[in-house]
Amino acid sequence: METNTCAAALLAELSQAKELLKELELNLHCLDLCKALTPRIASSIHNSFLMAESFSTKAGHDQSLFSSLALRPRTLTPRRRYVRTSHARSTARMVMEVRIICRKSLCSWRRQVRVSSVAGGVEGPGEDDGFIWRKYGQKEILGAKYPSSPRCRAYFRCAHRDSHSCPAKKQVQRSDNDPSVYDLTYHDNHTCLQHPGEEEEQGGANAMQRDQEQSTAAAQKLEGEEEFVGKIAPSFAPLEEEQFFIPSPYQFGGFDEAEGSLLPMEFDGDWEIGLDSI
DNA sequence: GTCATTTGACCTAC
DNA sequence: GTAGGTCAAATGAC
């Protein structure tokens, strides 16, 4: 594919993702619409990454996507940087927005859980999502609105982190707007349910069944008893800098329509615009 | 004795 | 320098 054609296709895909995200932002109050939009956005972003990856692989590092964005080296010092043209700037802004959205909306997500006043402490709802968590830290948070409440955020990781290398984590913090509401921020998905470890394999069907039951219970909890608020709204903070860098490899998530859940996937493409690491 | 939690220290990004 | 996130030794519960 010719360079300009590749760039145009990528820009079109990114534009579509941006439009879908705007639509999502406007309809955050409508859960059904959000659910419908999310896989379309994830698909569009995924396609963009695939395009960029194949583009980059085909054209080579310095002559790849970013040369088509009219990025030109200002200096050939060990930390090469690029000065962007206006066209490149708008394109780069789009890429950066997608990156922010990937990080904020797909790698992590947040929901709020209303609990009774009986439940005290920053742990709040505890293990009510059906997963087993281990607390590994607690931190005081500045500027909390309710000084009487525990002004801290508790950090939990999946209890199967060691045995299954499960990366799932969550943060629990009392909401500033309503002390009876806890903000739960999740990072990464559970892999322990999808990849049973050695002890389950040795233990046979019982352990597998237990995991499946736990998974089902968790799903029922998520759908039923708790108040789903939505994913973190994407941020579109204006870019002030003339230069920017995108780290690589970059971890982002994808929406599995069949599973109805967010799945982590590793992007290992070349997205170093600034070549900062050279 | 084992395991989970607590909490101060440390690390890293901004 | 500061704040957020993580580590790991100490502590407590069973």
Side-chain angles (χ1 to χ4, degrees):
Chain A
M1 196 185 294
E2 193 180 349
T3 299
N4 289 339
T5 309
C6 289
L10 176 58
L11 289 176
E13 194 68 40
L14 288 169
S15 297
Q16 183 183 347
K18 187 179 178 181
E19 291 306 312
L20 288 168
L21 279 165
K22 282 181 181 174
E23 195 176 342
L24 181 67
E25 256 193 322
L26 293 173
N27 293 283
L28 280 174
H29 58 281
C30 179
L31 180 58
D32 288 338
L33 194 54
C34 290
K35 282 182 176 177
L37 284 170
T38 306
R40 292 176 61 194
I41 297 168
S43 173
S44 189
I45 293 171
H46 182 59
N47 289 339
S48 302
F49 275 114
L50 289 177
M51 284 182 197
E53 189 175 22
S54 62
F55 192 12
S56 176
T57 302
K58 181 182 175 185
H61 198 97
D62 282 345
Q63 300 298 321
S64 67
L65 163 72
F66 309 111
S67 59
S68 75
L69 300 181
L71 301 173
R72 53 187 169 80
R74 187 170 59 183
T75 169
L76 290 177
T77 59
R79 292 168 63 89
R80 281 180 289 173
R81 298 191 173 221
Y82 293 83
V83 177
R84 292 179 292 176
T85 65
S86 59
H87 170 64
R89 199 157 43 235
S90 63
T91 306
R93 179 189 297 268
M94 212 180 300
V95 173
M96 177 60 87
E97 286 171 358
V98 169
R99 180 199 169 203
I100 292 168
I101 291 156
C102 282
R103 188 179 57 203
K104 290 193 174 182
S105 298
L106 298 180
C107 285
S108 65
W109 58 99
R110 187 181 65 187
R111 61 196 174 92
Q112 291 182 324
V113 180
R114 189 176 298 279
V115 298
S116 67
S117 58
V118 178
V122 70
E123 288 79 8
E127 298 177 2
D128 65 352
D129 56 9
F131 293 105
I132 302 173
W133 299 96
R134 292 285 172 268
K135 189 176 181 179
Y136 67 92
Q138 183 169 308
K139 195 76 178 179
E140 282 198 17
I141 302 301
L142 261 65
K145 194 174 178 179
Y146 294 96
S148 57
S149 66
R151 298 179 59 186
C152 51
R153 175 183 297 156
Y155 300 89
F156 297 85
R157 63 166 65 101
C158 178
H160 296 130
R161 186 186 81 136
D162 295 331
S163 58
H164 297 160
S165 300
C166 180
K169 291 177 190 172
K170 78 170 177 180
Q171 299 174 1
V172 179
Q173 182 181 355
R174 190 167 287 196
S175 171
D176 274 351
N177 297 325
D178 186 346
S180 68
V181 171
Y182 284 86
D183 285 328
L184 305 184
T185 304
Y186 291 85
H187 297 275
D188 296 321
N189 291 281
H190 286 273
T191 58
C192 50
L193 299 175
Q194 299 162 20
H195 305 290
E198 290 75 17
E199 67 269 27
E200 277 78 4
E201 290 171 6
Q202 292 169 359
N206 288 341
M208 291 283 286
Q209 186 179 354
R210 192 170 59 245
D211 269 355
Q212 288 170 0
E213 287 170 356
Q214 191 181 44
S215 179
T216 304
Q220 288 170 347
K221 283 275 188 181
L222 288 173
E223 290 172 3
E225 298 173 12
E226 295 169 351
E227 178 186 3
F228 178 84
V229 172
K231 297 176 181 65
I232 296 171
S235 166
F236 291 95
L239 295 174
E240 302 294 340
E241 298 294 329
E242 282 294 296
Q243 300 157 339
F244 68 100
F245 304 93
I246 295 180
S248 175
Y250 178 59
Q251 177 91 24
F252 63 101
F255 190 86
D256 187 322
E257 221 164 336
E259 294 274 339
S261 62
L262 289 159
L263 300 174
M265 51 186 178
E266 180 85 15
F267 175 72
D268 201 21
D270 182 2
W271 278 84
E272 293 263 1
I273 290 186
L275 302 177
D276 195 39
S277 58
I278 295 177

